[in-house]
Structures are given as C-alpha cells and as structure tokens.
Amino acid sequence: MRTGRRALAWLLVVAGWELLGRTLLAGSHLIGVHSGIVAKLVDNAAVYGRGLAYTTGEALWGYLFGNAAAVLLALLVVLLPWAERLVLRLALVVYCLPLVALGPLLRLVYGRGDGPQITLAALAVYYLTLVPLLVGLRALPSSWLDLTATYGRGRWATLVTVRARTSLPYLMAGLQTSVPAAFLGALVGEFTGAERGIGVLSILALRSLDTDGLWALMVLATAVSLLGYLGVAAVARRIAPETPPVLLAPSNATRRPGWRRVPSATGGAVVAALVVVGAWALGFAAVGLNPYFAKRPWHVWEWLVSSPDAGANRAGLLTALWETTTVALPGYFAGLVAGVFMAALFSLSDRAREALTPVAVALRCVPIIAIAPLLVAALGRGAVGTAVVVAIMTFFPTMVACLYGLGRLPGQVADVFATYDTPPARILWLGRLPAMAPAFFASARIAAPTALLAATVAEWLATGSGLGNRMAVDAATSQYTSLWATVVVVTLLALVAYGIVEFVESRVLGRVAPEQLRW
C-alpha cells in the first residue's frame, strides 16, 4: 500500500512538472519537460553514453586519488600531532583555490588530456574526507588511550587497533559526500577546454539553448552520482558500527591559557604562509610556467601594494569582495540550518527519510555548474539567486555529516533513555544533538570555503558581479596579475572564515566533546 501511494505521488510530480514546463514556463529555457528529456536520451543515447563513460572514469580516478590523499594526510596528523595545524592550513589553501582560475592553469600544464579533470576531481574530494576523518580518529575515550599506553603501545599501534575502528563512520560520511563532488570537479575540468565528456556536451547545450538536452545530461550525471552515493552507503551499513559501544570519557588534557596559545597560533600561521609562498614561486618555476599568465607572489604584491595604481586596484577588489561576501554569508547559514533540520527530520521519521533522501541526494548530485545559470535566471541576477546556489552546495555535506553524527549517541545513553521511555524528540534534543556536535562543526568548517567557492562559480557563470565575475573577466582579458590577486583574496577570506568557525568549535567542543581537543 505504501509503495502504491509513493508511486502515485511521484507520478503526480512528473505530470505537474510536464504541465508546468509546457504552459507557464514554456519558452523560458528554465526547465526541461520529461517527454523532451526522454526523447533526448533516446535520440542521443550513443553520444551521451560515450560522454558519460568518459566523465565517470575521470571522476572515479579523481575520487580514488583524492580520498587516498585525505587518508595519507590524516595518518600524518595522527603520527605527528604537532604538524596538524600546518597540514590543515596547507590543505585548506589548496582546497580554496578557485576552480575558475585553477582549471585553465591546469589545462596549460597538462594539455588536452584528462589530467585537469582528474586533478580537479581529486582536489574537490580530498578535503571533504580529510576533515570528518580527523574528527573520527579523535572520537575515542581517553581510557582506551590509557590502556594502550599501559601496554607500551605507540601511536601506530593505537591507530591500527583503536582509532581506525572509531573513525569508520566519519570516514564513510566523507566518502559519501565526496561522490558528487568528484563528478563536479571532473565537469569543471571539461569546461576548461576538454574535447569530450558530459561537461563539453553541457556547454554545447547551454550555448544552443537546448534545455531538454541540458536536463537530460543532468539526469545522467545525477543517476551516476546517486548510484555511487548509495553504493558507499551500503558499504557503510556493513562495516561501520551503528552506535558507539562505550560512553566517551572526558579528556584528561588541560587547555593552555590564551596568552600561551596566541604565539603558537601566530607562529604556525607565519610558517604556513612562508610554505605557501615558497611552494607558489618554486612550483611555478619548476614547471616552467610563463610569468605572463602564471604570476609570482611579488607580482601580486606589486599590484596590490607598491604600484602607483595599487589604491585603485585595492578599491575595485574590495568592492567585489563585499559583493561576494554578502551572498556567500546568508547562503552559508541557510545551508547549515537546512542540513541540520533535514538530518534531524530523518532521525525522527523513517517515512520522511525514505521519501526525501532521493530528493536531497539528487539536489546535490545535479551538477551545480550547469544548474547555476538556471537558478539565477529563475530567481534573478541579484543576491537571492547566488545565495540559493551557495545554500545548495553547503546543504548536502552538512546533512550527511549531521546524519552520521546523530547516530553517534553512545549505547549506554540510549539505554538510559529507553529505560525511561523517553520520546524520540526529547532524545534528539538531550542526547543526539550534543553527540552530533563534532560532526556538525566538521561540516561547518568544510562549508566555510565551499560557500565562497560556490558563490564565485555562480558569479562566474551567471550574475556578472563579485569576485567570480572579476576572475572570469580578468582571464578573458588577460589581466593575469589582477586574476591572481583575486585568487589570493578569496583564499585569505576562506582562511579567515575557517578560523572563526574553528574558534567557535573549540569553545563548544571543550564542553560537549573534549576528546576532540587532543590526540
């Protein structure tokens, strides 16, 4: 009976969509109608199939390389805890590099092969897995660490026997979130000059106003991403424990006074900055990139600080920065709130979870680089359209991470609630939400740079304003110094936003999850 009602509901949705596309939105090029989408899929099955296979292969390789890099970086942090801040800052800087600027540069380095697509897919993936994995590697009681220390076990033995098991749920959350991200990274790479793939076909459909063709390509991309997401979820159900077997004990580590933390944090930031600047200059020189388009740090410094036009340059950059910030900030918070709300709803209602999970996954799996112009056209070229794009990009990782976090309620606590016949809503408020805090803040840290990247992509494709549009115009007009200065500003803004979230996280987790503040 339930299956019949669900099928009837989906049938009504499809019929309503078809009617809307053929009446009110006919000729608007905003949505494709189902009959037209099916016709495109049938008529172009061979072409679409080859393009889908090519893009899927790129995304798969990027997914494997990116997640392997995330695991290796996490292992490095566990074995060398003093290097954690440096590793995370460098990883964040690389993740923050705007795809708008990085894609063409990779195309120049790799040429016309699939190197840019695989690299961008890996870069879009690794940070989404690294952050929750580090949270999971910390999610164990201090008594377990004391036990391994009593037997004289070192960090490697503790990692293999204890930390690896506790990190599995968080690792699987990252692996699930990164499935659609890998496909998106491959698409962006194809947008920079590839010869085949779904991204190339999407460009042709956009330029020819072939709305049904564009939606047909998005359906294919969504289907592949959804299959990957569900496949990782099936693996997670088999290998990840449902609930923690023991209550997480408070950490024995004492927090250093603020006056002692400031020099350490400042010194770490200076070291990270020196490493980034050195890698920038030496890396470009080693690859042999022409300084005409691959600017060095001193070129950016001159453009921003020491040249006669530096004041005007900074003024234009600050104006674009303000435009991007005013849309990224509300989209960021809207995505976080929507993700937490949806995760809470799923934890309370199996029916809601069954009905809305495909919609939530499809919403994120639809390539945002193709849907962004349609959203902006439907909602306007102002702040609302771009903020919606940002919210969509930040919503899905937050929902997945929080859904896993809500399931981290310790077994003893769940037993106490069951003994008193506590209602599910009260269990959610008193138990599951505090248990979710580490996962929520991990997703909030990921969402901070993601919101900026999403805003720049929307501005690049559709709005004609902000830092994204500025980078697109600079690239088109060969204003490469301005382009790299904008990249630096975007990266610095993402680092500041990340630092603010990290500061709030340390204060909250010090009360509800102190094990996250030490190794």
Side-chain angles (χ1 to χ4, degrees), residues 202-509:
S202 298
I203 292 175
L204 297 176
L206 281 169
R207 289 176 177 174
S208 61
L209 297 179
D210 183 6
T211 308
D212 289 340
L214 179 62
W215 279 81
L217 293 169
M218 289 191 293
V219 166
L220 292 176
T222 300
V224 171
S225 299
L226 184 58
L227 287 175
Y229 176 89
L230 295 177
V232 176
V235 174
R237 285 193 296 269
R238 286 184 173 273
I239 68 174
E242 285 296 320
T243 57
V246 296
L247 181 64
L248 294 179
S251 172
N252 294 326
T254 57
R255 190 174 180 82
R256 290 184 300 169
W259 63 271
R260 293 185 60 187
R261 295 196 305 269
V262 171
S264 176
T266 304
V270 171
V271 171
L274 292 175
V275 171
V276 169
V277 172
W280 178 1
L282 295 177
F284 280 12
V287 178
L289 294 176
N290 192 328
Y292 174 73
F293 58 83
K295 299 299 181 182
R296 276 42 171 187
W298 48 88
H299 297 140
V300 173
W301 175 266
E302 180 182 3
W303 191 86
L304 284 173
V305 179
S306 60
S307 70
D309 298 327
N313 295 337
R314 290 195 301 270
L317 200 54
L318 289 175
T319 300
L321 176 63
W322 174 254
E323 293 172 347
T324 298
T325 304
T326 54
V327 297
L329 202 58
Y332 171 77
F333 285 111
L336 289 182
V337 171
V340 173
F341 174 80
M342 192 66 71
L345 179 63
F346 286 177
S347 70
L348 293 174
S349 173
D350 290 337
R351 288 188 177 183
R353 186 170 187 165
E354 293 174 3
L356 297 179
T357 293
V359 178
V361 175
L363 186 64
R364 181 60 181 89
C365 292
V366 170
I368 199 67
I369 201 165
I371 199 67
L374 304 180
L375 289 174
V376 173
L379 301 173
R381 294 172 63 88
V384 175
T386 308
V388 170
V389 173
V390 173
I392 291 175
M393 290 287 284
T394 57
F395 154 75
F396 183 74
T398 303
M399 184 199 75
V400 174
C402 290
L403 198 55
Y404 272 90
L406 290 171
R408 296 301 91 204
L409 182 67
Q412 293 96 327
V413 177
D415 293 340
V416 171
F417 283 129
T419 301
Y420 288 94
D421 196 22
T422 309
R426 191 164 180 80
I427 296 176
L428 174 68
W429 178 255
L430 296 177
R432 296 193 182 279
L433 286 179
M436 183 195 75
F440 168 75
F441 279 106
S443 65
R445 280 189 282 142
I446 292 172
T450 301
L452 283 174
L453 297 179
T456 57
V457 168
E459 291 167 345
W460 165 40
L461 293 171
T463 66
S465 62
L467 294 172
N469 178 69
R470 184 183 180 92
M471 287 187 287
V473 172
D474 288 341
T477 57
S478 300
Q479 301 294 322
Y480 294 113
T481 309
S482 175
L483 172 63
W484 282 100
T486 307
V487 170
V488 170
V489 170
V490 171
T491 303
L492 290 176
L493 181 60
L495 288 170
V496 170
Y498 182 93
I500 293 173
V501 176
E502 191 176 38
F503 175 81
V504 176
E505 177 187 30
S506 65
R507 296 302 183 272
V508 175
L509 296 188

Side-chain angles (χ1 to χ4, degrees), residues 68-112:
V71 172
L72 291 177
L73 289 174
L75 294 179
L76 177 63
V77 169
V78 174
L79 298 176
L80 302 174
W82 56 267
E84 178 182 7
R85 284 187 173 274
L86 178 61
V87 170
L88 285 179
R89 286 192 181 100
L90 295 179
L92 179 60
V93 168
V94 175
Y95 182 70
C96 289
L97 293 175
L99 302 181
V100 183
L102 191 59
L105 184 63
L106 291 174
R107 181 61 60 189
L108 290 171
V109 173
Y110 285 106
R112 292 194 171 273

Side-chain angles (χ1 to χ4, degrees), residues 103-104 107 111-113 116-117 187-196 200 203:
R107 181 61 60 189
R112 292 194 171 273
Q117 297 92 291
L187 280 177
V188 173
E190 293 174 350
F191 267 57
T192 62
E195 298 178 342
R196 51 184 175 172
V200 176
I203 292 175

